[in-house]
Amino acid sequence: MTPSPPRILLVHGAWAGPWVFDRLAAELSARGFAVDTVALPSIGSTADLYADAAAVTAALDAMDGPVTLIAHSYGGIPTTQAGDHPAVERVVYVAAFALDEGETLQQAVGGGIPDFWGIADGMVSMGRSREERVAMIAADLPPDVPAALAEQLADTFRPQSLTAFTSPVTKVAWRAKPTTYVLTERDELVPPAFQEHLVARSGAQVVRVDTGHTPFEDDPVWFAGVLADIVTPAEVAR
């Protein structure tokens, strides 16, 4: 019998959608992985963290065989909530919020309302204006990336439920599953020092990369190799 390909489930971050992984998923598929994504329902609605976690659980329920669950940024929170699932063999956080029981995203970013949150109708936008959103994204991208990319990304981001950011974690996958944390050392959105704190607390294996917040946007070919090394170890260097 031909062995089944290693399975990966990608969980996107705040204000985005599965589309952020299109290029990464294509590269992983070319390397022989079976890749799925999940759309978090709190994007564009007032659904809470637990609805997002339920979406992750439903995706895992539908997958055959052991799964590596890979989460980016906010996606780490529903992944933490849902990741202690029988199908999951490893959790991978990519610049993600590996929170503990009782913690919320709002607490993790200081407890108040950050200056860059634009709040209306129970939802939060990244940036209080399009210009602020573009500037935040541009500051995190490599200097050689065309400026137009920040504008393109900014125009795809959608408001997200405020309650998703204020719902506390009640289950903690990193306490139950082997865990790897990909720490982005030039991150302008989730400070590297905070990521170091999450790594130390969780006891996760750490992989440090010299990128901003979205390494799969910076160089999806190279980052697919980084993830491949975590899922099926092989020497990867940049």
Side-chain angles (χ1 to χ4, degrees):
M1 293 180 61
T2 303
S4 299
R7 300 198 68 91
I8 290 173
L9 179 63
L10 299 170
V11 185
H12 64 82
W15 304 301
W19 54 265
V20 297
F21 295 127
D22 285 351
R23 294 190 297 160
L24 176 64
E27 292 296 336
L28 288 168
S29 296
R31 289 171 177 263
F33 295 96
V35 183
D36 287 287
T37 59
V38 59
L40 300 179
S42 66
I43 307 296
S45 81
T46 56
D48 60 18
L49 161 64
Y50 312 114
D52 287 345
V56 175
T57 297
L60 291 168
D61 287 344
M63 298 175 74
D64 294 326
V67 178
T68 299
L69 183 57
I70 302 177
H72 178 241
S73 197
Y74 164 82
I77 305 177
T79 290
T80 297
Q81 182 73 23
D84 187 12
H85 184 284
V88 174
E89 64 177 356
R90 176 170 292 274
V91 176
V92 180
Y93 294 96
V94 179
F97 290 89
L99 301 186
D100 206 346
E101 184 175 358
E103 294 178 345
T104 70
L105 175 65
Q106 186 174 23
Q107 290 171 338
V109 298
I113 301 296
D115 290 342
F116 67 89
W117 283 12
I119 299 178
D121 300 322
M123 292 189 286
V124 181
S125 296
M126 178 185 183
R128 295 178 184 270
S129 66
R130 180 181 183 274
E131 290 72 21
E132 184 178 14
R133 183 160 57 253
V134 170
M136 291 175 65
I137 295 169
D140 191 70
L141 292 172
D144 57 343
V145 169
L149 178 60
E151 296 197 8
Q152 292 169 7
L153 290 172
D155 289 340
T156 60
F157 284 11
R158 300 169 61 200
Q160 183 167 357
S161 170
L162 176 61
T163 59
F165 293 177
T166 59
S167 304
V169 169
T170 62
K171 301 176 183 177
V172 183
W174 52 259
R175 293 191 180 278
K177 299 290 184 177
T179 301
T180 301
Y181 197 103
V182 180
L183 193 155
T184 45
E185 295 182 318
R186 291 190 288 105
D187 201 317
E188 294 289 334
L189 299 176
V190 179
F194 178 67
Q195 295 184 53
E196 293 280 8
H197 160 70
L198 297 177
V199 168
R201 181 175 67 175
S202 67
Q205 172 192 14
V206 62
V207 175
R208 292 180 172 82
V209 294
D210 184 26
T211 72
H213 189 59
T214 54
F216 46 86
E217 292 284 359
D218 293 4
D219 189 339
V221 176
W222 162 77
F223 194 62
V226 173
L227 294 179
D229 189 47
I230 293 169
V231 179
T232 54
E235 185 175 350
V236 175
R238 189 180 193 190

